[in-house]
Amino acid sequence: MSFEALGLHATIVKAVTESGYTVPTPVQEQAVPAAIAGRDLLVSSQTGSGKTAAFMLPALHKLVSADVVAAPAQDASRGRNERVRFTAAKPKMLVLTPTRELALQVTTATEKYGSYMRRIRAVSILGGMPYPKQMQLLSKNPEILVATPGRLIDHMESGKIDFSELEILVLDEADRMLDMGFIDDIEKIVAATPAGRQTMLFSATLDGVVGNMARRITKDPMVIQIASNSNRHENISQRVHFVDDLSHKNRLLDHLLRDESMDQAVVFTATKRDADTIADRLNIAGFAAAALHGDMHQGARNRTLDSLRRGQVRVLVATDVAARGIDVPTITHVVNYDLPKFPEDYVHRIGRTGRAGRNGLAISLVNHAEGMNIKRIERFTKQLIPVNVVEGFEPKRSAAPARSGARPGGWKPGDGRSAAAKPGQRSFSKPSAAPREGGYSRDAAPRGPSTGAPRREGSGGGYRGTNPRSADGSRRSFGDN
Ligand code: ADP
Ligand code: MG
């Protein structure tokens, strides 16, 4: 299956080919033709499976085919009485995303996929961006808006955006937006758009609250669920290292980051403060490290991510929210300095490595009291995470005897060997032990370590194509390797 065969306009095929994509991913294969045909879509597929192009390519196709030309740029021009006059922007397409980083990524991808389409403009409307800058962007009357819900509402309420001509609405990572409490904003935004719009919703799960909303805002949607049970993060080796105390943890972190197979790493901390402290400490130790968290200004966050992409930052120390959606293929290591609060965040964290068909290594530094948290993650991912011991960094207390599989060192990028233990070694079928199997009611119950985490499906893995390995075991290349 080729991108031409999906029915996409030649300019789009050209841009996609230049991006190094040779074949559509499974989700693209299903979503693109349906979206071109005008269907509403409800899509769940794993992180890294190429969902951005799955909605953006057909959208661009529709915009270019309809030869949509927005009204001329509506410069905020000065009237006679010196008052700035501003006509509301009338976008044709709106993409809602949970975070600023994700919105910027979608905008960048749109520019890439639409690079041969002259008249299409895409802009991000984000919290944290200076207001005059946003007004300037909106005054160009862009065809495509990519926005986080909160800031968009501000602009809608002050009459800066008019959705009466909107044709396509996309909710990206809808489950996450609901997690972040955006449901009222989303409802308000959807209500302001024409009933005849095309709606595409992407989410790790289509159960529960997200599913209810999804069905309310779509018409006769085509439901696309790309099974991921068989290929959850198989290109990412996962390990647990037990540590005795903070000093042991810090020494081990330093050691792991000096691994010669380490190209770039993301280290996750529980708090913004720790992200800053550890980044400082690593810098002093000679690593090119930088922190990324929600207290930083947008400009600083963007600069840090740019430096990461350019390879100037080798170790990013980040909190969960800030790191969501980071897509830098050269990240070889993810280190959980602190375990995430919720098992689904573990899946998102480790998905920062092993992007675009590469291999990755995800290491969790765990003190002995956190054994239960690891078990919860294992139940959630239905995978065992082997315990490893590095020579010279052995914990004083040995790990639980059931946990075998310790295998010091050994992982090299590209060796394709998964350290995951064989399934069936331990059973996950005890429903009483599993936190709310199958249930999904995160709005009803406050989440916390003690409440158990809602289960989410289909958020594991990264796109590696349907046949990631050829017979000789080498990885299929996506061109940007
Ligand atoms: P998702 O939103 O499903 O997590 P993204 O849209 O962010 O995934 O895509 C993940 C990565 O895969 C990006 O680096 C993207 O450029 C790349 N990608 C997307 N589609 C293809 C394709 N058809 N072939 C190769 N790489 C692709
Ligand atoms: Mg995405």
Side-chain angles (χ1 to χ4, degrees):
M1 180 62 87
S2 68
F3 281 101
E4 282 99 335
L6 295 181
L8 289 165
H9 198 274
T11 54
I12 300 172
V13 174
K14 185 171 174 196
V16 161
T17 308
E18 280 181 17
S19 305
Y21 304 178
T22 49
V23 290
T25 66
V27 69
Q28 291 161 5
E29 214 170 274
Q30 292 196 40
V32 171
I36 288 177
R39 291 286 301 267
D40 280 3
L41 302 181
L42 299 185
V43 183
S44 83
S45 75
Q46 63 212 58
T47 305
S49 57
K51 293 189 285 294
T52 315
F55 64 76
M56 200 44 88
L57 301 183
L60 289 172
H61 175 89
K62 280 182 78 175
L63 294 179
V64 76
S65 304
D67 204 15
V68 168
V69 185
Q74 301 166 328
D75 285 319
S77 56
R78 285 184 187 282
R80 220 172 259 173
N81 54 3
E82 290 284 291
R83 270 186 51 209
V84 172
R85 288 179 52 211
F86 187 96
T87 323
K90 291 186 174 176
K92 303 287 179 193
M93 177 183 192
L94 170 66
V95 182
L96 290 177
T97 73
T99 65
R100 303 180 262 192
E101 276 72 25
L102 201 59
L104 289 172
Q105 257 178 40
V106 170
T107 308
T108 308
T110 307
E111 281 161 3
K112 189 164 76 172
Y113 303 146
S115 57
Y116 291 101
M117 299 170 57
R118 285 222 168 71
R119 284 183 294 254
I120 306 290
R121 278 161 304 209
V123 306
S124 320
I125 296 300
L126 312 165
M129 189 191 271
Y131 205 72
K133 172 77 183 159
Q134 305 211 326
M135 294 304 292
Q136 192 217 331
L137 290 174
L138 285 176
S139 72
K140 300 233 154 60
N141 198 21
E143 289 79 4
I144 302 173
L145 278 191
V146 185
T148 49
R151 179 55 65 100
L152 188 66
I153 291 272
D154 293 347
H155 285 295
M156 281 167 62
E157 285 175 348
S158 56
K160 301 298 184 293
I161 301 174
D162 170 354
F163 284 127
S164 63
E165 291 178 14
L166 193 87
E167 294 176 11
I168 304 169
L169 172 67
V170 175
L171 284 82
D172 197 12
E173 305 211 3
D175 54 328
R176 190 66 170 190
M177 287 198 277
L178 297 193
D179 278 357
M180 292 169 75
F182 283 135
I183 183 133
D184 291 344
D185 288 349
I186 292 173
E187 302 270 4
K188 218 183 268 178
I189 293 164
V190 172
T193 65
R197 68 176 188 269
Q198 180 179 22
T199 308
M200 301 184 242
L201 180 143
F202 294 78
S203 175
T205 173
L206 296 174
D207 301 332
V209 183
V210 184
N212 289 342
M213 183 187 73
R215 281 168 187 91
R216 240 183 5 257
I217 66 173
T218 53
K219 286 183 301 294
D220 181 29
M222 176 166 163
V223 179
I224 299 174
Q225 284 178 292
I226 306 288
S228 60
N229 276 0
S230 55
N231 58 357
R232 296 177 315 264
H233 284 318
E234 279 166 7
N235 58 330
I236 301 172
S237 298
Q238 302 173 53
R239 292 181 192 167
V240 163
H241 287 272
F242 280 100
V243 295
D244 295 317
D245 51 30
L246 214 54
S247 134
H248 186 194
K249 194 190 256 192
N250 286 330
R251 281 184 290 118
L252 184 55
L253 175 68
D254 278 36
H255 173 82
L256 293 168
L257 293 177
R258 287 183 204 284
D259 190 311
E260 57 177 30
S261 68
M262 203 281 278
D263 189 356
Q264 281 176 297
V266 182
V267 176
F268 283 96
T269 61
T271 67
K272 299 163 188 167
R273 230 184 116 184
D274 276 353
D276 281 330
T277 314
I278 293 167
D280 286 348
R281 204 176 49 71
L282 290 173
N283 268 311
I284 292 166
F287 296 99
L292 187 77
H293 56 66
D295 275 357
M296 291 163 60
H297 288 298
Q298 189 60 40
R301 286 162 76 164
N302 293 344
R303 279 193 298 280
T304 302
L305 284 172
D306 278 347
S307 308
L308 183 73
R309 268 181 216 111
R310 285 199 300 268
Q312 290 156 347
V313 165
R314 291 194 61 223
V315 182
L316 185 75
V317 190
T319 56
D320 279 304
V321 169
R324 179 139 180 127
I326 289 177
D327 181 19
V328 178
T330 41
I331 294 172
T332 48
H333 287 52
V334 165
V335 180
N336 291 317
Y337 185 87
D338 297 307
L339 283 177
K341 251 190 178 153
F342 309 113
E344 67 261 42
D345 286 330
Y346 176 85
V347 175
H348 288 295
R349 284 180 176 193
I350 72 172
R352 296 314 105 215
T353 182
R355 306 289 289 179
R358 300 178 189 210
N359 294 318
L361 177 59
I363 301 171
S364 298
L365 306 180
V366 177
N367 63 46
H368 301 284
E370 294 173 309
M372 264 320 290
N373 296 347
I374 282 292
K375 288 209 182 78
R376 279 177 51 208
I377 291 168
E378 290 179 330
R379 270 202 300 273
F380 181 78
T381 62
K382 301 197 173 66
Q383 283 178 314
L384 290 175
I385 310 172
V387 177
N388 268 59
V389 179
V390 177
E391 228 178 292
F393 294 88
E394 296 86 354
K396 287 194 194 81
R397 271 177 56 183
S398 61
R403 312 190 58 93
S404 59
R407 187 160 52 197
W411 183 87
K412 293 283 171 289
D415 73 355
R417 184 160 53 86
S418 170
K422 300 280 171 294
Q425 213 166 307
R426 208 191 304 169
S427 164
F428 292 102
S429 57
K430 264 198 298 183
S432 59
R436 266 218 300 279
E437 277 294 323
Y440 189 92
S441 54
R442 74 186 44 187
D443 278 8
R447 295 195 304 171
S450 57
T451 61
R455 170 187 148 128
R456 214 189 264 195
E457 302 211 321
S459 54
Y463 178 63
R464 301 182 310 286
T466 46
N467 178 20
R469 257 177 257 192
S470 58
D472 65 3
S474 66
R475 293 261 160 199
R476 180 158 95 188
S477 159
F478 290 137
D480 53 349
N481 274 334

